[in-house]
Amino acid sequence: MVVPSRRVLAVSVSFFALSLGALQAQTFTEPVPAPDFVVTATRSPLAISQAGSAISVITAEEIAKESLTSPAEVLRRVPGVTVVETGGPGSTTTVRLRGAESGQTLVLIDGIRVNDPSTDSGEFDFSNLAAVDIERIEVLRGPQSAIYGSDAMGGVINIITRKGKGAPRVSVGMEGGSYGTKAGRAAVSGSNGPVSYAFSTTGFDTAGFSRYGYRIGRIEDALSFPLEPDSAQRLGAAGRVSVAISPDVEFEIGGYSSYNRVQIDNAASAFEFLPDAPSQTQQRLYEGHSRLTINAFDGILKNTFLVSGSRTDRDYRLVGISPFSGFYWNNYGYQGERLSAEYQGDLKLGSYGLLTFGAKAEQENLISTSRSVLPFSTPENEDIDASQTTRSVYALHQFSLFENLHLSLGGRVDDIEDGDTFGTWRATAAYEIPSSGTKLRASVGTGAKAPTLYQKFDPFSGTADLEAERSIGFDVGIDQRLADDRVLLSATFFANRFRNLIAYGVADTCRPDQFYGCFINVNRARTSGVELSADVDVVPAWLRVKASYTYLEAFDEESDLRLARRPENQGRLGIAITPLPGLSIEPSVVFVGSRFSSPGELNELAPYARFDLYADYKINDTFSVYARAENLTDADYQEVYDYGTAGRSFYAGLRATW
């Protein structure tokens, strides 16, 4: 497995050598979270019934039903989540939680932060998420900076890959379909004595369609030439190896990497005469970690030592025709790296609950380069070479009162060297009523996001003394189980206030050479809404219905205009039918209300409903076949103004597991 830094590799290999030297044929006693447990809500395994936060779990079975080309599509099943794909598979894909910006969503892979330090807002591009062997995805909504620090203002998405256990398990699969799409995957996992392992790889290739203008009548009708298709390729791999040194000590080394090559189009504007241009981008994401876990004092104190790193490399070839320079060809490169070391302790206090505490040091680095090829060739120029170090301490106390009332209170302080220092806090409550199958829950807390390296050090628009963005938010909800747990209903009301938001604008604080503006702390925003979900086992083993719905109000407080790309209404309805043993059929409808593609309520996008159909048949214990039809009604819609989406398309595949 490729790791992002020689420093991370050196530490990991050293730990691994020590572990093998001390290896004993014993099994580590750390419990693996069961399906009704989550780890993201409190940084330690917690029963969902005791969680005061709004959290959803996407299972491996649900993930397997999504396309290998766009695994982020599975997030549309979760209330409060908005997914935006800029023109088909492989293109920039952003995810927002509860109306927060995409850069205010913290994304973890196996608990390791993978947000890109090289982008202007620090978001994670979900086009870099490959369909590796993912065990589950936990989506934690609401401000979570008190336990996760910067970026967790809207919430946290934790992508958890499979951890090997039991007899060796091998699975392979392949699929093909519309737009010249070919995809495949392979995985192996298991354990042997004290050693467990899991490795997986995946890839896809598609001829695609033109990202600009495809199936948009006003654009296609105005052109005298056909739009060129934009292809995409992605490769991904993940791996984890764990060694139980003793019943109380475990060492793990793991990593994830992906390569994404995509042909892209420019956006049409007064400054661009060739939107359907042969531009291209390549992205490489690497994540590596080593984790040592030690249970001390008969399991009373669990100590976790984590060394991790991630790196994102982005290279762009932008080609077009400008009214200023005519035909141009420019190359841009961005490299964002993050290295961190962290300690977390989990101290059992008996009847007084569980105290989680820890400290972390993290360094972020950004290097950006540019070069002109046409109309004039220039040498490569290094535009930014910047770094910053953040030191953090945090604590979270979980305890129960009156047996059924579960409470938590936590706080965190993040200190940026030569920069801002900010503190955050969070409190949750969950009250169970076993006799009626009811859980009442509530949470309140603050969020913060440190300015990115680009916002601080870009030579044209950077402002070195930017302060952290801040927010406060709360939610209240109810989870209800009925009919012997065959009916699961959930409803949540939430509200958030954002201040000190960083935006690009003209201000007195801009330098004299920043004629067109700079990044400044100026904006305020508010979001509120309702999240609903239902899971009804109508006829056991035959008919199941799952539905989610989100009503969202998201406004800029200065202008009182709606924030861009936040639909007021969105949801999904899925029906799982099992008419015969081994045969499963799942029709589903995703609907998204009207919204604006650009700030200032510009470029309104029409509402749409997309009808999909998935079916699989298990031939025997080893083989199964499946088929997927997407957008069966051939609905015309856009997720980003002027960028196309796939029409009616069909895919089929074969899986084998033994």
Side-chain angles (χ1 to χ4, degrees), residues 144-294:
Q144 309 294 332
S145 295
I147 52 177
Y148 287 103
S150 184
D151 296 348
M153 297 177 75
V156 179
I157 298 176
N158 191 7
I159 301 156
I160 302 171
T161 62
R162 185 179 299 275
K163 185 174 183 178
K165 60 180 179 179
R169 170 187 177 272
V170 179
S171 64
V172 295
M174 61 187 71
E175 73 171 46
S178 299
Y179 302 106
T181 300
K182 303 173 287 293
R185 63 186 299 176
V188 58
S189 63
S191 62
N192 183 8
V195 179
S196 66
Y197 55 89
F199 301 97
S200 61
T201 184
T202 181
F204 86 88
D205 178 279
T206 180
F209 50 83
S210 177
R211 303 190 190 281
Y212 171 78
Y214 179 66
R215 298 199 315 131
I216 301 176
R218 60 179 169 78
I219 294 178
E220 292 184 326
D221 295 343
L223 297 175
S224 57
F225 53 86
L227 295 166
E228 63 155 4
D230 295 313
S231 64
Q233 298 83 37
R234 183 194 298 127
L235 298 172
R240 300 172 73 180
V241 176
S242 299
V243 180
I245 300 172
S246 75
D248 294 316
V249 180
E250 182 189 54
F251 173 74
E252 175 185 284
I253 184 171
Y256 168 92
S257 73
S258 66
Y259 168 77
N260 197 35
R261 178 183 177 275
V262 184
Q263 292 181 327
I264 59 175
D265 286 333
N266 308 320
S269 71
F271 306 103
E272 177 54 60
F273 293 164
L274 186 62
D276 185 33
S279 296
Q280 177 181 292
T281 178
Q282 296 184 65
Q283 296 193 68
R284 300 171 181 84
L285 170 64
Y286 311 105
E287 174 269 315
H289 68 268
S290 57
R291 181 183 284 115
L292 178 66
T293 305
I294 303 173

